[in-house]
Amino acid sequence: MPATLQLALLIAILLPAGKIVASIGARFGIPAIIGELMVGVVAGPGLLDMLHWRLFSGTPAGDCFMLLAQIGGFVLMFIAGLETDIDAMREASVTAFLVALSGVVWPFFLGAGAAHLLGLSWSASLFLGGALTATSVSISARTLMDAGKMTTPEATIILAAAVIDDVMGLFVLAFLAASSNSNNSESFGVAPYVSNWLQHHWSFAGAHPLVVQMSMIALSVCVFFVVAYGAANRWIDPLMRLFRKVNANEAVTSCVLSLMLLYAVSAEWLGSVAGITGAYLLGYVFAGAKLKALIERTFYAIGHGLLIPLFFVSIGLTSNFRALGGHWALLGIIFAVALISKLIGCGMAALGMGMGPVRSLRIGCGMISRGEVGLIVTAMAAESGIFQEYEVAIMVAVVLLTTLITPLLVRGAFMIKAAGDDDDG
């Protein structure tokens, strides 16, 4: 069967399956995201292993499905940016930074310490701790959307903190990369390229690679956010007027989608941050644009109708519990550390900033899910021989389990009444 037809068949099977299971789960109060994830788990290598069926093998259809799903992640974060309360985000910036910082420090040291006590080498333990640092901002955003809580103060802090600790996770990643023997020659972006060039042409840089790498990441992050935000804030409305002059069906939607993809690419190339961060930043600027309602309506149809469900199904497709072997106790302990470290670390930071016990609990629950950065660190450890197959399986399972449990905990935390809830809208 041609690859195009294989891809079409995969989507025709998995897309409605995710929607049907999500609909069934909604009747029992289970968030839609859980249904989509579970469809991926069932179809993944741990159970049905659909992508390796003879019907779908021999062509790049499976890879194309996963790539299309990643575009869904960009669209999800763009929509999350559109729904962000700009004024509330600015007011919460200090609280979000402290929540993010605490949400990186606690998981890193507790994760590394627990892993070493359980028999892992210090190298593997540090990589495991690094994989636990960053919250998955896309999972948090979808969870808050499904719960109808995107306009609450907690949602503002969760999203801002998730973006910030994603950036902090990059510094942890740079430290781990410099301390390992992994090859960075294929790293994408300005920061790795300049860092490698400096190390080959400047003796100080060659003697202190970690300092150079982290300095270049810091500079890249600052330049990207200043340039990207400033350019979007200045030119969004003029560009929208220009897009509306294009005499073609849905020209505005096409142009905005292209701009979102450019921001996602530039985020990784120029800013050394995840592409979803660039998509979120553009959506955040669009939240104050004159044609926000038009953009929001069309992207909801594109995102929730096709791309976003594929994104969550694809996360489940990466899980393979067969590789865990007899390491279930280790998985349980690492999962508990992943859960508790974010819950306590982020929750206590929010409480210290005067958010109140219930709101702090909600923030802690919203920061639990892990995602892209954790998988990147895991892949780096596997490629450099630091992680064995069962350790890779454990980290993928932790990412999946935290993704599954976050919506349930967030829903439960929002059911607890907090002072001022009636004023949140």
Side-chain angles (χ1 to χ4, degrees):
M1 183 185 295
T4 304
L5 297 182
Q6 286 183 326
L7 177 61
L9 186 57
L10 273 174
I11 295 174
I13 294 172
L14 295 176
L15 181 60
K19 290 294 185 182
I20 292 169
V21 175
S23 177
I24 295 172
R27 297 182 181 181
F28 300 94
I30 300 174
I33 182 179
I34 300 295
E36 293 162 1
L37 285 166
M38 291 310 300
V39 166
V41 172
V42 172
L47 292 172
L48 298 181
D49 199 14
M50 276 185 62
L51 297 184
H52 291 94
W53 288 359
R54 186 174 181 179
L55 181 64
F56 299 113
S57 63
T59 68
D63 292 336
C64 290
F65 180 92
M66 301 300 284
L67 291 173
L68 184 62
Q70 293 307 305
I71 301 297
F74 298 154
V75 174
L76 171 62
M77 292 314 302
F78 179 77
I79 294 174
L82 280 172
E83 295 189 354
T84 300
D85 187 325
I86 296 176
D87 293 332
M89 179 73 84
R90 290 169 180 166
E91 292 176 2
S93 57
V94 175
T95 301
F97 177 81
L98 293 176
V99 168
L101 180 62
S102 185
V104 168
V105 172
W106 279 70
F108 181 75
F109 287 104
L110 285 181
H116 188 62
L117 288 175
L118 291 168
L120 273 68
S121 66
W122 269 119
S123 295
S125 299
L126 289 173
F127 269 88
L128 188 145
L132 294 178
T133 55
T135 296
S136 173
V137 64
S138 56
I139 303 298
S140 300
R142 174 63 185 273
T143 299
L144 294 165
M145 285 182 195
D146 287 347
K149 302 298 181 181
M150 279 293 290
T151 59
T152 61
E154 296 92 326
T156 300
I157 292 173
I158 289 169
L159 289 178
V163 170
I164 293 169
D165 87 354
D166 196 39
V167 175
M168 291 180 179
L170 289 169
F171 289 94
V172 176
L173 182 60
F175 170 79
L176 295 173
S179 64
S180 71
N181 294 321
S182 59
N183 184 4
N184 295 322
S185 60
E186 297 182 0
S187 297
F188 175 74
V190 173
Y193 176 81
V194 175
S195 177
N196 289 334
W197 188 89
L198 288 173
Q199 290 176 49
H200 285 90
H201 295 84
W202 186 22
S203 59
F204 176 83
H208 303 86
L210 179 59
V211 174
V212 175
Q213 289 175 22
M214 298 188 74
S215 298
M216 288 309 306
I217 288 176
L219 181 60
S220 295
V221 169
C222 292
V223 169
F224 170 73
F225 277 100
V226 170
V227 173
Y229 177 79
N233 197 46
R234 170 65 180 84
W235 294 105
I236 281 299
D237 285 327
L239 278 174
M240 290 297 290
R241 289 194 294 269
L242 184 63
F243 293 161
R244 296 189 74 181
K245 294 179 180 179
V246 179
N247 187 20
N249 291 332
E250 298 295 341
V252 172
T253 301
S254 298
C255 293
V256 173
L257 179 61
S258 299
L259 189 60
M260 180 205 73
L261 295 174
L262 286 174
Y263 260 68
V265 173
S266 64
E268 298 212 15
W269 181 75
L270 176 61
S272 294
V273 294
I276 56 173
T277 302
Y280 177 81
L281 178 63
L282 184 65
Y284 175 79
V285 177
F286 264 103
K290 295 178 181 178
L291 294 179
K292 173 191 172 182
L294 170 64
I295 299 303
E296 196 169 27
R297 183 171 61 253
T298 55
F299 271 80
Y300 253 73
I302 296 171
H304 293 287
L306 173 63
L307 295 172
I308 294 174
L310 297 185
F311 174 69
F312 289 103
V313 169
S314 73
I315 295 176
L317 283 170
T318 64
S319 62
N320 183 7
F321 293 105
R322 295 178 182 176
L324 287 171
H327 299 91
W328 295 101
L330 179 59
L331 169 61
I333 294 172
I334 298 302
F335 172 63
V337 169
L339 196 73
I340 294 169
S341 59
K342 284 286 186 180
L343 191 60
I344 295 178
C346 299
M348 291 297 290
L351 187 64
M353 293 300 293
M355 290 299 296
V358 176
R359 292 184 184 273
S360 298
L361 174 65
R362 294 170 180 173
I363 291 170
C365 291
M367 295 292 290
I368 287 172
S369 64
R370 306 310 202 275
E372 299 82 0
V373 173
L375 295 175
I376 291 170
V377 174
T378 300
M380 177 187 292
E383 290 170 4
S384 58
I386 294 173
F387 273 4
Q388 300 179 42
E389 185 180 15
Y390 78 90
E391 292 166 331
V392 173
I394 285 173
M395 289 313 306
V396 172
V398 166
V399 169
L400 181 63
L401 290 172
T402 54
T403 298
L404 288 169
I405 201 171
T406 296
L408 301 176
L409 293 179
V410 169
R411 287 283 185 106
F414 271 100
M415 289 180 181
I416 305 173
K417 189 71 174 178
D421 276 352
D422 294 335
D423 301 327
D424 293 344

